[in-house]
Amino acid sequence: MLMRCVAVAPEVFAAQYWGRRPLLSRSGALPRDFTDLLSPDAVDELISRRGVRAPFLRMAKAGEVLPRDCYVDAAGFGAEMPDQVDSAKVLAEYAAGATIVLQGLHRLWPPLIDFVRNLTDELGHPVQANAYITPPDAQGFESHYDVHDVFVLQVSGEKRWTVHEPVHRHPLDSQPWTGHRGAIAARIGDAPVIDTVLRAGDALYLPRGWVHSAR
């Protein structure tokens, strides 16, 4: 599974990139695309037919996470489910520029359940899968860093990714980016390490702590 995410041999990835520096892998250097794992049609099915509930779905716009009542509503008869996703509300917020975030897909979507299980075995490290569906000319989250490593797999469409050097190397769970907003604002004024458009089938590896944004 790792070889689907990086365009270098596993031993090279382990020695030169894992936890050290980003790696951009273009589709032509990878075994295949990622449409078997997820697709726009699968996203439609999850939201409109599978009864996804919060917090498996959340939405964000211009750096702010939207309140749940923007996209959930009560559902069911008798046994009420107050955190049921309302697909009409989700569509309206998406049309207004909000990013859809599907969280914990390694527990919901069979192809990703298998993929994540196998990748966890290969890496010897816990893995989870989220999906980010952003409308044209929009940005869900401001520049930030994560406290875990990330494999970005571009399933469909295009996103421009900008990556900068860390402001806090190897942050722990207790050291989120929100404690370094000023340093991040200063860092993004520097020349980026990566400034590129990911297209369908491309992949990007980011070690924890590397500042990034996507549009």
Side-chain angles (χ1 to χ4, degrees), residues 53-54 57 67-74 82-86 89:
R53 299 167 68 181
L57 185 146
R68 281 192 183 185
D69 59 7
C70 290
Y71 53 87
V72 303
D73 205 348
D83 56 358
Q84 186 80 49
V85 168
D86 184 319
K89 286 186 173 183

Side-chain angles (χ1 to χ4, degrees), residues 143-159:
S143 295
H144 66 283
Y145 66 73
D146 292 309
V147 295
H148 51 267
D149 291 22
V150 176
F151 293 97
V152 180
L153 310 180
Q154 188 72 28
V155 171
S156 179
E158 299 181 351
K159 276 187 178 176

Side-chain angles (χ1 to χ4, degrees), residues 2 5-6 8-21 23 123 149 151 205:
L2 177 62
C5 305
V6 298
V8 297
E11 59 272 19
V12 174
F13 178 74
Q16 299 182 21
Y17 296 96
W18 182 244
R20 293 176 174 83
R21 58 192 176 106
L23 174 63
L123 295 176
D149 291 22
F151 293 97
Y205 165 71

Side-chain angles (χ1 to χ4, degrees), residues 17-167:
Y17 296 96
W18 182 244
R20 293 176 174 83
R21 58 192 176 106
L23 174 63
L24 174 63
S25 300
R26 294 299 186 188
S27 60
L30 294 171
R32 59 159 302 173
D33 63 20
F34 308 113
T35 53
D36 61 314
L37 302 179
L38 195 68
S39 68
D41 286 344
V43 170
D44 285 344
E45 179 174 338
L46 281 162
I47 295 172
S48 64
R49 300 182 63 186
R50 292 283 183 126
V52 175
R53 299 167 68 181
F56 283 101
L57 185 146
R58 61 178 178 149
M59 303 193 76
K61 182 178 180 181
E64 299 292 335
V65 176
L66 301 186
R68 281 192 183 185
D69 59 7
C70 290
Y71 53 87
V72 303
D73 205 348
F77 299 93
E80 187 175 288
M81 294 181 290
D83 56 358
Q84 186 80 49
V85 168
D86 184 319
S87 58
K89 286 186 173 183
V90 170
L91 181 59
E93 294 293 348
Y94 179 79
T99 290
I100 302 168
V101 184
L102 292 170
Q103 303 185 127
L105 287 175
H106 58 293
R107 296 185 179 275
L108 292 177
W109 191 243
L112 283 171
I113 291 172
D114 295 336
F115 178 80
V116 166
R117 182 184 297 120
N118 291 330
L119 187 57
T120 297
D121 289 343
E122 285 187 27
L123 295 176
H125 195 285
V127 179
Q128 68 178 40
N130 299 341
Y132 300 81
I133 305 94
T134 303
D137 197 30
Q139 181 172 325
F141 298 93
E142 61 188 294
S143 295
H144 66 283
Y145 66 73
D146 292 309
V147 295
H148 51 267
D149 291 22
V150 176
F151 293 97
V152 180
L153 310 180
Q154 188 72 28
V155 171
S156 179
E158 299 181 351
K159 276 187 178 176
R160 180 185 176 185
W161 281 80
T162 307
V163 181
H164 288 83
E165 291 272 359
V167 297

